Amino acid sequence: MLDQTIVRVGVRYGVLCGLASFVIIMALYLMGFNALGEAGRWSYLPLPIFIFMGLRYFKRFHDAEVGFWKGVRVNMSVTFYTALSAAMLLYLMLYLVGPEIIQQHVVELRALLDQSREAQIKLIGESNFEQAYQELDNLSPSMLATHDFLSRVIVGMLFSVVAAVFFRK
């Protein structure tokens, strides 16, 4: 059953976390870093903070005896809205900035693939490696935003379980 309170807490803290993550991505981009690569991992920093704040708020003002599953539901709501808002803002940024940010990211990815060529070929095979190498030319803003959404959901799921255990009754 859909609990309106969980959704409202998820929207409030999730959208704020998505905005904070996007501000970090924009700051990295403006400082000259590749915000889509290794440096972009800094944008995950607000996620556990807002997950804990959202569940603390829910426990304090709505349900003082939060169980594990309800805590997970609250945290997954925050995670979903964080991932959704951050991915939408990232898509808008990639679309408005243009293809140069994507091309910079592709250059970095190709350099990483070239460094680990032998290990990658052992793992996935020569033909799959070459296909993956060629597919880098087809990266689009929607693909990068989808990847960002999915990775934030996965990371958020891990923090959701930890926070639910911490705040359970």
Side-chain angles (χ1 to χ4, degrees), residues 94-108:
L94 292 173
Y95 186 74
L96 294 174
V97 168
E100 57 269 0
I101 188 172
I102 297 173
Q103 292 305 319
Q104 177 189 6
H105 182 59
V106 167
V107 167
E108 255 188 44

mmCIF file with all atom_site columns, all heavy atoms in Angstrom, residues 94-108:
data_model
loop_
_atom_site.group_PDB
_atom_site.id
_atom_site.type_symbol
_atom_site.label_atom_id
_atom_site.label_alt_id
_atom_site.label_comp_id
_atom_site.label_asym_id
_atom_site.label_entity_id
_atom_site.label_seq_id
_atom_site.pdbx_PDB_ins_code
_atom_site.Cartn_x
_atom_site.Cartn_y
_atom_site.Cartn_z
_atom_site.occupancy
_atom_site.B_iso_or_equiv
_atom_site.pdbx_formal_charge
_atom_site.auth_seq_id
_atom_site.auth_comp_id
_atom_site.auth_asym_id
_atom_site.auth_atom_id
_atom_site.pdbx_PDB_model_num
ATOM 1   N N   . LEU A 1 94  ? 23.901 17.907 -19.846 1.00 0.00 ? 94  LEU A N   1
ATOM 2   C CA  . LEU A 1 94  ? 24.586 17.314 -21.000 1.00 0.00 ? 94  LEU A CA  1
ATOM 3   C C   . LEU A 1 94  ? 23.980 17.798 -22.308 1.00 0.00 ? 94  LEU A C   1
ATOM 4   O O   . LEU A 1 94  ? 24.688 18.025 -23.285 1.00 0.00 ? 94  LEU A O   1
ATOM 5   C CB  . LEU A 1 94  ? 24.524 15.788 -20.925 1.00 0.00 ? 94  LEU A CB  1
ATOM 6   C CG  . LEU A 1 94  ? 25.317 15.140 -19.806 1.00 0.00 ? 94  LEU A CG  1
ATOM 7   C CD1 . LEU A 1 94  ? 25.024 13.651 -19.747 1.00 0.00 ? 94  LEU A CD1 1
ATOM 8   C CD2 . LEU A 1 94  ? 26.791 15.399 -19.965 1.00 0.00 ? 94  LEU A CD2 1
ATOM 9   N N   . TYR A 1 95  ? 22.680 17.957 -22.314 1.00 0.00 ? 95  TYR A N   1
ATOM 10  C CA  . TYR A 1 95  ? 21.998 18.408 -23.526 1.00 0.00 ? 95  TYR A CA  1
ATOM 11  C C   . TYR A 1 95  ? 22.320 19.874 -23.815 1.00 0.00 ? 95  TYR A C   1
ATOM 12  O O   . TYR A 1 95  ? 22.538 20.258 -24.958 1.00 0.00 ? 95  TYR A O   1
ATOM 13  C CB  . TYR A 1 95  ? 20.492 18.215 -23.377 1.00 0.00 ? 95  TYR A CB  1
ATOM 14  C CG  . TYR A 1 95  ? 19.718 18.524 -24.621 1.00 0.00 ? 95  TYR A CG  1
ATOM 15  C CD1 . TYR A 1 95  ? 19.728 17.657 -25.705 1.00 0.00 ? 95  TYR A CD1 1
ATOM 16  C CD2 . TYR A 1 95  ? 18.983 19.697 -24.724 1.00 0.00 ? 95  TYR A CD2 1
ATOM 17  C CE1 . TYR A 1 95  ? 19.017 17.941 -26.862 1.00 0.00 ? 95  TYR A CE1 1
ATOM 18  C CE2 . TYR A 1 95  ? 18.279 19.993 -25.869 1.00 0.00 ? 95  TYR A CE2 1
ATOM 19  C CZ  . TYR A 1 95  ? 18.290 19.110 -26.933 1.00 0.00 ? 95  TYR A CZ  1
ATOM 20  O OH  . TYR A 1 95  ? 17.593 19.406 -28.070 1.00 0.00 ? 95  TYR A OH  1
ATOM 21  N N   . LEU A 1 96  ? 22.357 20.697 -22.760 1.00 0.00 ? 96  LEU A N   1
ATOM 22  C CA  . LEU A 1 96  ? 22.594 22.128 -22.951 1.00 0.00 ? 96  LEU A CA  1
ATOM 23  C C   . LEU A 1 96  ? 24.068 22.462 -23.182 1.00 0.00 ? 96  LEU A C   1
ATOM 24  O O   . LEU A 1 96  ? 24.385 23.363 -23.955 1.00 0.00 ? 96  LEU A O   1
ATOM 25  C CB  . LEU A 1 96  ? 22.053 22.919 -21.760 1.00 0.00 ? 96  LEU A CB  1
ATOM 26  C CG  . LEU A 1 96  ? 20.534 22.886 -21.588 1.00 0.00 ? 96  LEU A CG  1
ATOM 27  C CD1 . LEU A 1 96  ? 20.134 23.588 -20.306 1.00 0.00 ? 96  LEU A CD1 1
ATOM 28  C CD2 . LEU A 1 96  ? 19.832 23.482 -22.782 1.00 0.00 ? 96  LEU A CD2 1
ATOM 29  N N   . VAL A 1 97  ? 24.972 21.768 -22.513 1.00 0.00 ? 97  VAL A N   1
ATOM 30  C CA  . VAL A 1 97  ? 26.395 22.044 -22.668 1.00 0.00 ? 97  VAL A CA  1
ATOM 31  C C   . VAL A 1 97  ? 26.865 21.609 -24.048 1.00 0.00 ? 97  VAL A C   1
ATOM 32  O O   . VAL A 1 97  ? 27.702 22.257 -24.658 1.00 0.00 ? 97  VAL A O   1
ATOM 33  C CB  . VAL A 1 97  ? 27.215 21.350 -21.553 1.00 0.00 ? 97  VAL A CB  1
ATOM 34  C CG1 . VAL A 1 97  ? 28.690 21.371 -21.866 1.00 0.00 ? 97  VAL A CG1 1
ATOM 35  C CG2 . VAL A 1 97  ? 26.952 22.018 -20.221 1.00 0.00 ? 97  VAL A CG2 1
ATOM 36  N N   . GLY A 1 98  ? 26.332 20.515 -24.526 1.00 0.00 ? 98  GLY A N   1
ATOM 37  C CA  . GLY A 1 98  ? 26.708 20.056 -25.853 1.00 0.00 ? 98  GLY A CA  1
ATOM 38  C C   . GLY A 1 98  ? 27.583 18.821 -25.818 1.00 0.00 ? 98  GLY A C   1
ATOM 39  O O   . GLY A 1 98  ? 27.864 18.261 -24.757 1.00 0.00 ? 98  GLY A O   1
ATOM 40  N N   . PRO A 1 99  ? 28.034 18.413 -26.979 1.00 0.00 ? 99  PRO A N   1
ATOM 41  C CA  . PRO A 1 99  ? 28.758 17.142 -27.067 1.00 0.00 ? 99  PRO A CA  1
ATOM 42  C C   . PRO A 1 99  ? 30.191 17.174 -26.544 1.00 0.00 ? 99  PRO A C   1
ATOM 43  O O   . PRO A 1 99  ? 30.794 16.125 -26.377 1.00 0.00 ? 99  PRO A O   1
ATOM 44  C CB  . PRO A 1 99  ? 28.744 16.843 -28.573 1.00 0.00 ? 99  PRO A CB  1
ATOM 45  C CG  . PRO A 1 99  ? 28.593 18.166 -29.225 1.00 0.00 ? 99  PRO A CG  1
ATOM 46  C CD  . PRO A 1 99  ? 27.777 19.004 -28.284 1.00 0.00 ? 99  PRO A CD  1
ATOM 47  N N   . GLU A 1 100 ? 30.737 18.353 -26.259 1.00 0.00 ? 100 GLU A N   1
ATOM 48  C CA  . GLU A 1 100 ? 32.141 18.386 -25.835 1.00 0.00 ? 100 GLU A CA  1
ATOM 49  C C   . GLU A 1 100 ? 32.377 17.702 -24.495 1.00 0.00 ? 100 GLU A C   1
ATOM 50  O O   . GLU A 1 100 ? 33.414 17.076 -24.288 1.00 0.00 ? 100 GLU A O   1
ATOM 51  C CB  . GLU A 1 100 ? 32.700 19.810 -25.806 1.00 0.00 ? 100 GLU A CB  1
ATOM 52  C CG  . GLU A 1 100 ? 31.978 20.786 -24.938 1.00 0.00 ? 100 GLU A CG  1
ATOM 53  C CD  . GLU A 1 100 ? 30.878 21.541 -25.671 1.00 0.00 ? 100 GLU A CD  1
ATOM 54  O OE1 . GLU A 1 100 ? 30.668 21.306 -26.868 1.00 0.00 ? 100 GLU A OE1 1
ATOM 55  O OE2 . GLU A 1 100 ? 30.230 22.357 -25.017 1.00 0.00 ? 100 GLU A OE2 1
ATOM 56  N N   . ILE A 1 101 ? 31.426 17.777 -23.557 1.00 0.00 ? 101 ILE A N   1
ATOM 57  C CA  . ILE A 1 101 ? 31.601 17.099 -22.271 1.00 0.00 ? 101 ILE A CA  1
ATOM 58  C C   . ILE A 1 101 ? 31.545 15.585 -22.458 1.00 0.00 ? 101 ILE A C   1
ATOM 59  O O   . ILE A 1 101 ? 32.286 14.838 -21.818 1.00 0.00 ? 101 ILE A O   1
ATOM 60  C CB  . ILE A 1 101 ? 30.572 17.593 -21.229 1.00 0.00 ? 101 ILE A CB  1
ATOM 61  C CG1 . ILE A 1 101 ? 30.905 17.025 -19.856 1.00 0.00 ? 101 ILE A CG1 1
ATOM 62  C CG2 . ILE A 1 101 ? 29.164 17.224 -21.637 1.00 0.00 ? 101 ILE A CG2 1
ATOM 63  C CD1 . ILE A 1 101 ? 30.080 17.606 -18.741 1.00 0.00 ? 101 ILE A CD1 1
ATOM 64  N N   . ILE A 1 102 ? 30.700 15.130 -23.373 1.00 0.00 ? 102 ILE A N   1
ATOM 65  C CA  . ILE A 1 102 ? 30.614 13.696 -23.638 1.00 0.00 ? 102 ILE A CA  1
ATOM 66  C C   . ILE A 1 102 ? 31.881 13.222 -24.341 1.00 0.00 ? 102 ILE A C   1
ATOM 67  O O   . ILE A 1 102 ? 32.409 12.147 -24.031 1.00 0.00 ? 102 ILE A O   1
ATOM 68  C CB  . ILE A 1 102 ? 29.347 13.371 -24.459 1.00 0.00 ? 102 ILE A CB  1
ATOM 69  C CG1 . ILE A 1 102 ? 28.095 13.736 -23.645 1.00 0.00 ? 102 ILE A CG1 1
ATOM 70  C CG2 . ILE A 1 102 ? 29.320 11.900 -24.853 1.00 0.00 ? 102 ILE A CG2 1
ATOM 71  C CD1 . ILE A 1 102 ? 26.809 13.611 -24.401 1.00 0.00 ? 102 ILE A CD1 1
ATOM 72  N N   . GLN A 1 103 ? 32.394 14.018 -25.269 1.00 0.00 ? 103 GLN A N   1
ATOM 73  C CA  . GLN A 1 103 ? 33.618 13.633 -25.973 1.00 0.00 ? 103 GLN A CA  1
ATOM 74  C C   . GLN A 1 103 ? 34.810 13.571 -25.014 1.00 0.00 ? 103 GLN A C   1
ATOM 75  O O   . GLN A 1 103 ? 35.658 12.687 -25.136 1.00 0.00 ? 103 GLN A O   1
ATOM 76  C CB  . GLN A 1 103 ? 33.903 14.602 -27.119 1.00 0.00 ? 103 GLN A CB  1
ATOM 77  C CG  . GLN A 1 103 ? 32.902 14.510 -28.246 1.00 0.00 ? 103 GLN A CG  1
ATOM 78  C CD  . GLN A 1 103 ? 32.773 13.096 -28.786 1.00 0.00 ? 103 GLN A CD  1
ATOM 79  O OE1 . GLN A 1 103 ? 33.760 12.390 -28.950 1.00 0.00 ? 103 GLN A OE1 1
ATOM 80  N NE2 . GLN A 1 103 ? 31.542 12.679 -29.055 1.00 0.00 ? 103 GLN A NE2 1
ATOM 81  N N   . GLN A 1 104 ? 34.858 14.486 -24.058 1.00 0.00 ? 104 GLN A N   1
ATOM 82  C CA  . GLN A 1 104 ? 35.921 14.449 -23.054 1.00 0.00 ? 104 GLN A CA  1
ATOM 83  C C   . GLN A 1 104 ? 35.824 13.162 -22.240 1.00 0.00 ? 104 GLN A C   1
ATOM 84  O O   . GLN A 1 104 ? 36.836 12.520 -21.943 1.00 0.00 ? 104 GLN A O   1
ATOM 85  C CB  . GLN A 1 104 ? 35.824 15.667 -22.133 1.00 0.00 ? 104 GLN A CB  1
ATOM 86  C CG  . GLN A 1 104 ? 36.831 15.685 -21.013 1.00 0.00 ? 104 GLN A CG  1
ATOM 87  C CD  . GLN A 1 104 ? 36.556 16.788 -20.006 1.00 0.00 ? 104 GLN A CD  1
ATOM 88  O OE1 . GLN A 1 104 ? 35.551 17.491 -20.081 1.00 0.00 ? 104 GLN A OE1 1
ATOM 89  N NE2 . GLN A 1 104 ? 37.450 16.936 -19.055 1.00 0.00 ? 104 GLN A NE2 1
ATOM 90  N N   . HIS A 1 105 ? 34.611 12.767 -21.896 1.00 0.00 ? 105 HIS A N   1
ATOM 91  C CA  . HIS A 1 105 ? 34.400 11.539 -21.139 1.00 0.00 ? 105 HIS A CA  1
ATOM 92  C C   . HIS A 1 105 ? 34.795 10.311 -21.966 1.00 0.00 ? 105 HIS A C   1
ATOM 93  O O   . HIS A 1 105 ? 35.408 9.377  -21.439 1.00 0.00 ? 105 HIS A O   1
ATOM 94  C CB  . HIS A 1 105 ? 32.928 11.458 -20.705 1.00 0.00 ? 105 HIS A CB  1
ATOM 95  C CG  . HIS A 1 105 ? 32.606 10.261 -19.877 1.00 0.00 ? 105 HIS A CG  1
ATOM 96  N ND1 . HIS A 1 105 ? 33.226 9.989  -18.680 1.00 0.00 ? 105 HIS A ND1 1
ATOM 97  C CD2 . HIS A 1 105 ? 31.720 9.253  -20.074 1.00 0.00 ? 105 HIS A CD2 1
ATOM 98  C CE1 . HIS A 1 105 ? 32.732 8.877  -18.175 1.00 0.00 ? 105 HIS A CE1 1
ATOM 99  N NE2 . HIS A 1 105 ? 31.828 8.411  -19.006 1.00 0.00 ? 105 HIS A NE2 1
ATOM 100 N N   . VAL A 1 106 ? 34.473 10.314 -23.244 1.00 0.00 ? 106 VAL A N   1
ATOM 101 C CA  . VAL A 1 106 ? 34.826 9.203  -24.126 1.00 0.00 ? 106 VAL A CA  1
ATOM 102 C C   . VAL A 1 106 ? 36.344 9.068  -24.234 1.00 0.00 ? 106 VAL A C   1
ATOM 103 O O   . VAL A 1 106 ? 36.889 7.959  -24.212 1.00 0.00 ? 106 VAL A O   1
ATOM 104 C CB  . VAL A 1 106 ? 34.174 9.375  -25.518 1.00 0.00 ? 106 VAL A CB  1
ATOM 105 C CG1 . VAL A 1 106 ? 34.765 8.426  -26.533 1.00 0.00 ? 106 VAL A CG1 1
ATOM 106 C CG2 . VAL A 1 106 ? 32.666 9.177  -25.427 1.00 0.00 ? 106 VAL A CG2 1
ATOM 107 N N   . VAL A 1 107 ? 37.041 10.190 -24.324 1.00 0.00 ? 107 VAL A N   1
ATOM 108 C CA  . VAL A 1 107 ? 38.504 10.159 -24.397 1.00 0.00 ? 107 VAL A CA  1
ATOM 109 C C   . VAL A 1 107 ? 39.083 9.527  -23.135 1.00 0.00 ? 107 VAL A C   1
ATOM 110 O O   . VAL A 1 107 ? 40.001 8.699  -23.193 1.00 0.00 ? 107 VAL A O   1
ATOM 111 C CB  . VAL A 1 107 ? 39.067 11.583 -24.628 1.00 0.00 ? 107 VAL A CB  1
ATOM 112 C CG1 . VAL A 1 107 ? 40.564 11.645 -24.402 1.00 0.00 ? 107 VAL A CG1 1
ATOM 113 C CG2 . VAL A 1 107 ? 38.711 12.065 -26.019 1.00 0.00 ? 107 VAL A CG2 1
ATOM 114 N N   . GLU A 1 108 ? 38.537 9.893  -21.969 1.00 0.00 ? 108 GLU A N   1
ATOM 115 C CA  . GLU A 1 108 ? 39.006 9.306  -20.719 1.00 0.00 ? 108 GLU A CA  1
ATOM 116 C C   . GLU A 1 108 ? 38.710 7.818  -20.648 1.00 0.00 ? 108 GLU A C   1
ATOM 117 O O   . GLU A 1 108 ? 39.535 7.031  -20.196 1.00 0.00 ? 108 GLU A O   1
ATOM 118 C CB  . GLU A 1 108 ? 38.351 10.014 -19.525 1.00 0.00 ? 108 GLU A CB  1
ATOM 119 C CG  . GLU A 1 108 ? 39.278 10.937 -18.820 1.00 0.00 ? 108 GLU A CG  1
ATOM 120 C CD  . GLU A 1 108 ? 38.692 11.476 -17.540 1.00 0.00 ? 108 GLU A CD  1
ATOM 121 O OE1 . GLU A 1 108 ? 38.089 10.708 -16.769 1.00 0.00 ? 108 GLU A OE1 1
ATOM 122 O OE2 . GLU A 1 108 ? 38.843 12.677 -17.316 1.00 0.00 ? 108 GLU A OE2 1
#
